[in-house]
Amino acid sequence: MGVPSQSSAAGVLALLSDPEPVLKQYALKALNQLVPQFWAEISEHIALIESLYESEQLPQEAHDSAALLASKVYYYLGDYEEALSFALGAGSAFENDTRSPGTEEYVETVVSKAIDRYIQSRLKEQAEGKIDSRLQGIIEGIFRRCIADGEYKQAIGIALESRRLDIVKSIYEQTRDTTLLTYAMEAVLDTAFPLAFRDQVLKFLFPLFPAPSDDAKTTHVYALTRILVTLNSPEMTINFLTSLVPRQKLLAYQFAFDLVEGGGQDFREAIRKDLPEGTEETKPIYDQLRKILLGQESIKLYLEFLKRNNKVDMLILKNTKDVLEPRSSIYHTALSLQNAFMHAGTTSDIFLRENLEWLVLANNWSKFSAAAAIGVIHKGHFQESMNILGPYLPAQPQDSSTGANAYMEGGALYAMGLVNAGCGSGQEVENYLRNMLRNSASEVVQHGSALGLGVAGMGGKSAEAYDDLKQTLFTDSAVAGEAAGYAMGLIMLGTADATSAEEMLTYARETQHEKIIRGLAIGLALIFYGRQEEADDMVKLLMAEKDPILRYGGVYTLALAYAGTANNWAVRQLLHVAVSDTSDDVRRAAVTSLAFLLFKNPAQVPRIVQLLSESYNPHVRCGATLALGIACAGTGLQDAVDILEPMTRDSVDFVRQGALIALGMILVEQSEASSPSLASTRALYAKIVSDKHDDPMARFGAALGQGLIDAGGRNVTISLQSRAGSRNTSAIVGMVLFCQFWYWYPLAHCACLAFEPTGIIGLDENLKAPKFEFISNAKPSLFAYPAATKPPKKETVAKVATAVLSTTAKVKAREKRKAVEAGETVPEEKKDGDVEMKGAEASSSRHGDVSPISGSLSNLAESTGKGRKSEPSSEKLSNFSRVTPAQLAYITFPADGRYQPVRVVSTRPPSTKASKSPSSAALAPERSGGGGGILIMADTRPDEEPDYIEFETQAVVPPAGPGAAPNPPPSTPGRHIALDESAPEADPPESFEYPFGNDT
């Protein structure tokens, strides 16, 4: 006979009023088990339970049981604060209850509330007083349990939130696991911690990491680099570098190259100035470090890499040129941008040289864009920038043109900045551009000078350059003032300088020119780059403005201040603006700006943007396309592609434009094996570009998409974070400026600042590139270059049988008879309509009864089945080879090889998926770029003579002066392209004999 279930707690509750303490204690214990079932009934006696908790007549155990009972009742009533307060009073009873079955939800809720209250108390404690010892006890118990269960990351998360760095240290001392320190570093960098605490944690973590070794087994090298770049502390960096000299000089060189990639110009310059001179033994090492930290060595190496591996498909460019009307400014600009992106950094201007007749059709601002494109093509060729751009630059500032030539000269000055991007601050080029800005009379030339100065001196904080730009701004010229606004923000990038911000905001409120307001609005956003909560006041100010352009600037200020942090508050703000602002421009910008917050978690972005991509407002949809493109750039993320593909058929032209550009960004450096959408996207571009009835904006977007998908000779990806995982400042800034192409096409050139060369460039201790090989443990097709476009085949036109009149046949027959009678030979006539059947007979005999079509397919299958070799599971690559970010996980260096890297090639563990079944699932987007780039190699056989790679990038002979002959010297054929209609014509080609009969 079963025990009947209890239907009421009345009997046990009656015992609470019993005068015998033992019975009360028993009742309290029993009720603790009955609460989940009878909490409503027990809640009517809550006052009595509380009085028992406060009673001094009961033993401690009964006190704790009463407190636990009251806590559970309040939990079921939904009053979690009271539940926590009584749980704190329950002492050991609560801790024992955590292991009881059926109490999991209650315990979890109370513990989470305890953690929240503890975090709040810890934050207040720093300003006010002490924390409740009972709360402290519960939290200490949570830490102990996490550590005992091996849940170290949970404990570290709570410790960081509650500012308990001692817990982080004790966990590391127990485990000696550097991945936990890396986890703590990423947690504090990629979430919404205040700047001051972030820096405190990083300074605390840095000495905990063990000293790195140069045997390529130290996995935390990237974490150390990221901490140094984020802290931006020259003193700390110098101490670290000097600790590696001289015993680990190769590792010191490696850190220097990694710092160049992530650190700003001013940071690197401060390190260079304060590095010690060194002794006789160490002086050459410090000199090499200074040389590397200047940044120019990295740029030279990547320039050589892009030039050697250039795989631009010229037929794509030719086809686009043939179908876009060159006299239309938008189409001319589209082709200029496409060519610039495809050849970015390769120094190959062959397309321009072969299409001079197209080039001279540019006029006004399309001529400006065409000249600026030369800067994108030669980006990084800073040593020869004056020689390359010399023919297009004004000889003296006062000589600058004010007519048609001003556009060419202004574009060339902008190109000068692009060539020197990232290494122009404090250099001669900065003084040259400042001189042009101050002394030119043309606003177009000033526009180009200002943009060039901003890009070249980005983050340099040059007060002189800022003052020159300010004077240009105060002339109140709409064209020059807009560029000055952008450039002021670029020069003061990330300084949060209150004086500059106040000056720019005041002028933006006073001026009547929308172009100037827009330039200043984006300039303000750039000033607060990466400043997080320090920018909150400015964001609040800008968001409250009546002028939608300033609110537009406020959106970008918020996005750049919290770039890469995925801050929940900032994401909520942007989503709110995206659905509530009265201006379409502001709403579009708010959606696009989500990309700058979330680019470190690309897989999350499609889910967040999904609903916005289906909005009734086309501007919101357009913003969603660019958000997907920027955040998921280079990942080939199929979820993002699936959202964008239907948007390429949108009814609104600029939404289609955005979708086509975004697809190019996402699919850059993808292969057909890794991304099933690649071939269809390329075909879509070709179809839209060639359709003369399609919208001009959609065709413009398709042309840009073609340029982005094959950017940098198919050897670059688009990445907003560095290989170490820190923010890639120039890439983020470049993408913000690229987004302004909506208003001003020349700013689209700034997308090249986000192009990241993807290769392995190995250097020895002399910073020379030796010849060596390494292995990619994946099928070659998975990371292969796309196949070249094939020219269309000439179709042979089949002859149609000629209609012959009956009278004509009779006449011919009569003439034939007469000729026979006269004894003349009559030539056989082959009728036009006759068809020889030899081919058909041969095919029928070959195929038998099978139809020729099906037979040919079966034969093809048989022949390919027999003749095709199975694809190898790995391939050998040489130094200066392209290695895509997804491919890095499969790269290994032969153990018996002469050269071995001093740091790990990739932070990701190798997977066997790629070698077994090439699928995009094996190439899931990662949080950090990690790996590749410039690697310092240790020579295991230093006694042998090294075999070095000869560089192809040679010096350019300067062009002839103004008084010299108009033709360029023979040593530099085709280096300079005339953009001016009035330029002298080229000499005719030398006489030659055409090979008649041999042409095909």
Side-chain angles (χ1 to χ4, degrees), residues 50-71:
E50 286 186 30
S51 67
L52 291 173
Y53 163 61
E54 293 165 2
S55 169
E56 296 178 0
Q57 298 172 359
L58 294 174
Q60 184 62 40
E61 192 178 349
H63 272 282
D64 294 348
S65 295
L68 182 62
L69 180 58
S71 173

Short mmCIF file of all heavy atoms in Angstrom, two decimals, residues 50-71:
data_model
loop_
_atom_site.label_atom_id
_atom_site.label_comp_id
_atom_site.label_asym_id
_atom_site.label_seq_id
_atom_site.Cartn_x
_atom_site.Cartn_y
_atom_site.Cartn_z
N GLU A 50 9.78 35.04 10.07
CA GLU A 50 10.79 36.10 10.26
C GLU A 50 11.05 36.34 11.73
O GLU A 50 12.19 36.60 12.14
CB GLU A 50 10.30 37.39 9.57
CG GLU A 50 10.40 37.35 8.06
CD GLU A 50 10.05 38.69 7.44
OE1 GLU A 50 10.29 39.73 8.09
OE2 GLU A 50 9.55 38.71 6.30
N SER A 51 9.99 36.26 12.54
CA SER A 51 10.17 36.48 13.99
C SER A 51 11.01 35.36 14.61
O SER A 51 11.82 35.60 15.52
CB SER A 51 8.82 36.57 14.70
OG SER A 51 8.15 35.33 14.64
N LEU A 52 10.84 34.12 14.11
CA LEU A 52 11.67 33.01 14.59
C LEU A 52 13.14 33.23 14.20
O LEU A 52 14.06 32.90 14.95
CB LEU A 52 11.17 31.68 14.02
CG LEU A 52 9.80 31.19 14.54
CD1 LEU A 52 9.36 29.96 13.76
CD2 LEU A 52 9.89 30.87 16.03
N TYR A 53 13.37 33.80 13.01
CA TYR A 53 14.74 34.09 12.57
C TYR A 53 15.41 35.10 13.50
O TYR A 53 16.59 35.00 13.83
CB TYR A 53 14.71 34.59 11.12
CG TYR A 53 15.98 35.29 10.68
CD1 TYR A 53 17.21 34.61 10.66
CD2 TYR A 53 15.97 36.63 10.28
CE1 TYR A 53 18.37 35.26 10.27
CE2 TYR A 53 17.11 37.28 9.89
CZ TYR A 53 18.32 36.59 9.88
OH TYR A 53 19.47 37.23 9.50
N GLU A 54 14.57 36.08 13.99
CA GLU A 54 15.13 37.13 14.85
C GLU A 54 15.15 36.73 16.32
O GLU A 54 15.75 37.43 17.15
CB GLU A 54 14.31 38.42 14.67
CG GLU A 54 14.47 39.02 13.27
CD GLU A 54 13.41 40.05 12.95
OE1 GLU A 54 12.58 40.31 13.86
OE2 GLU A 54 13.41 40.60 11.84
N SER A 55 14.48 35.63 16.66
CA SER A 55 14.39 35.21 18.07
C SER A 55 15.75 34.77 18.60
O SER A 55 16.52 34.11 17.90
CB SER A 55 13.38 34.06 18.19
OG SER A 55 13.46 33.50 19.47
N GLU A 56 16.03 35.13 19.84
CA GLU A 56 17.30 34.75 20.46
C GLU A 56 17.18 33.45 21.26
O GLU A 56 18.17 32.97 21.81
CB GLU A 56 17.79 35.88 21.37
CG GLU A 56 18.09 37.16 20.61
CD GLU A 56 18.53 38.28 21.55
OE1 GLU A 56 18.58 38.02 22.77
OE2 GLU A 56 18.80 39.39 21.06
N GLN A 57 15.97 32.91 21.38
CA GLN A 57 15.76 31.70 22.20
C GLN A 57 16.09 30.42 21.45
O GLN A 57 16.28 29.37 22.04
CB GLN A 57 14.29 31.65 22.65
CG GLN A 57 13.90 32.82 23.53
CD GLN A 57 12.41 32.85 23.83
OE1 GLN A 57 11.67 31.99 23.35
NE2 GLN A 57 11.97 33.83 24.61
N LEU A 58 16.14 30.49 20.10
CA LEU A 58 16.42 29.29 19.31
C LEU A 58 17.93 29.13 19.08
O LEU A 58 18.67 30.13 19.02
CB LEU A 58 15.71 29.38 17.95
CG LEU A 58 14.17 29.36 17.99
CD1 LEU A 58 13.60 29.60 16.60
CD2 LEU A 58 13.67 28.03 18.54
N PRO A 59 18.37 27.89 18.88
CA PRO A 59 19.79 27.68 18.59
C PRO A 59 20.14 28.22 17.19
O PRO A 59 19.25 28.49 16.37
CB PRO A 59 19.95 26.16 18.66
CG PRO A 59 18.59 25.61 18.43
CD PRO A 59 17.63 26.62 18.99
N GLN A 60 21.46 28.33 16.90
CA GLN A 60 21.93 28.90 15.63
C GLN A 60 21.40 28.12 14.43
O GLN A 60 21.02 28.70 13.41
CB GLN A 60 23.47 28.90 15.62
CG GLN A 60 24.08 29.57 14.39
CD GLN A 60 23.70 31.05 14.28
OE1 GLN A 60 23.66 31.76 15.29
NE2 GLN A 60 23.37 31.49 13.08
N GLU A 61 21.34 26.81 14.55
CA GLU A 61 20.88 25.97 13.45
C GLU A 61 19.44 26.31 13.07
O GLU A 61 19.08 26.38 11.89
CB GLU A 61 21.00 24.49 13.84
CG GLU A 61 20.82 23.55 12.66
CD GLU A 61 20.99 22.09 13.07
OE1 GLU A 61 21.45 21.83 14.19
OE2 GLU A 61 20.65 21.23 12.24
N ALA A 62 18.60 26.56 14.09
CA ALA A 62 17.20 26.92 13.83
C ALA A 62 17.11 28.30 13.19
O ALA A 62 16.27 28.54 12.31
CB ALA A 62 16.42 26.89 15.13
N HIS A 63 17.96 29.23 13.66
CA HIS A 63 18.03 30.57 13.04
C HIS A 63 18.29 30.43 11.54
O HIS A 63 17.60 31.06 10.71
CB HIS A 63 19.19 31.37 13.65
CG HIS A 63 18.81 32.13 14.87
ND1 HIS A 63 18.11 33.32 14.82
CD2 HIS A 63 19.02 31.89 16.20
CE1 HIS A 63 17.92 33.77 16.04
NE2 HIS A 63 18.46 32.91 16.91
N ASP A 64 19.31 29.62 11.18
CA ASP A 64 19.69 29.47 9.78
C ASP A 64 18.56 28.83 8.97
O ASP A 64 18.28 29.26 7.83
CB ASP A 64 20.96 28.61 9.66
CG ASP A 64 22.18 29.30 10.27
OD1 ASP A 64 22.06 30.51 10.57
OD2 ASP A 64 23.23 28.66 10.44
N SER A 65 17.87 27.85 9.58
CA SER A 65 16.75 27.19 8.87
C SER A 65 15.61 28.16 8.63
O SER A 65 14.98 28.15 7.55
CB SER A 65 16.24 25.99 9.68
OG SER A 65 17.23 25.00 9.77
N ALA A 66 15.34 29.03 9.62
CA ALA A 66 14.26 30.03 9.46
C ALA A 66 14.61 31.01 8.34
O ALA A 66 13.76 31.38 7.51
CB ALA A 66 14.04 30.75 10.77
N ALA A 67 15.86 31.44 8.33
CA ALA A 67 16.29 32.39 7.28
C ALA A 67 16.19 31.74 5.90
O ALA A 67 15.72 32.36 4.93
CB ALA A 67 17.72 32.84 7.55
N LEU A 68 16.60 30.47 5.80
CA LEU A 68 16.55 29.77 4.51
C LEU A 68 15.10 29.61 4.05
O LEU A 68 14.78 29.80 2.86
CB LEU A 68 17.23 28.40 4.64
CG LEU A 68 17.30 27.55 3.36
CD1 LEU A 68 18.12 28.26 2.29
CD2 LEU A 68 17.90 26.18 3.67
N LEU A 69 14.20 29.29 5.00
CA LEU A 69 12.79 29.13 4.67
C LEU A 69 12.20 30.44 4.17
O LEU A 69 11.49 30.49 3.15
CB LEU A 69 12.02 28.62 5.89
CG LEU A 69 10.51 28.40 5.72
CD1 LEU A 69 10.23 27.40 4.60
CD2 LEU A 69 9.90 27.93 7.03
N ALA A 70 12.49 31.53 4.89
CA ALA A 70 11.99 32.85 4.47
C ALA A 70 12.53 33.21 3.09
O ALA A 70 11.81 33.76 2.23
CB ALA A 70 12.40 33.90 5.50
N SER A 71 13.79 32.90 2.83
CA SER A 71 14.41 33.20 1.54
C SER A 71 13.69 32.48 0.41
O SER A 71 13.37 33.06 -0.63
CB SER A 71 15.89 32.79 1.57
OG SER A 71 16.46 32.93 0.30
#
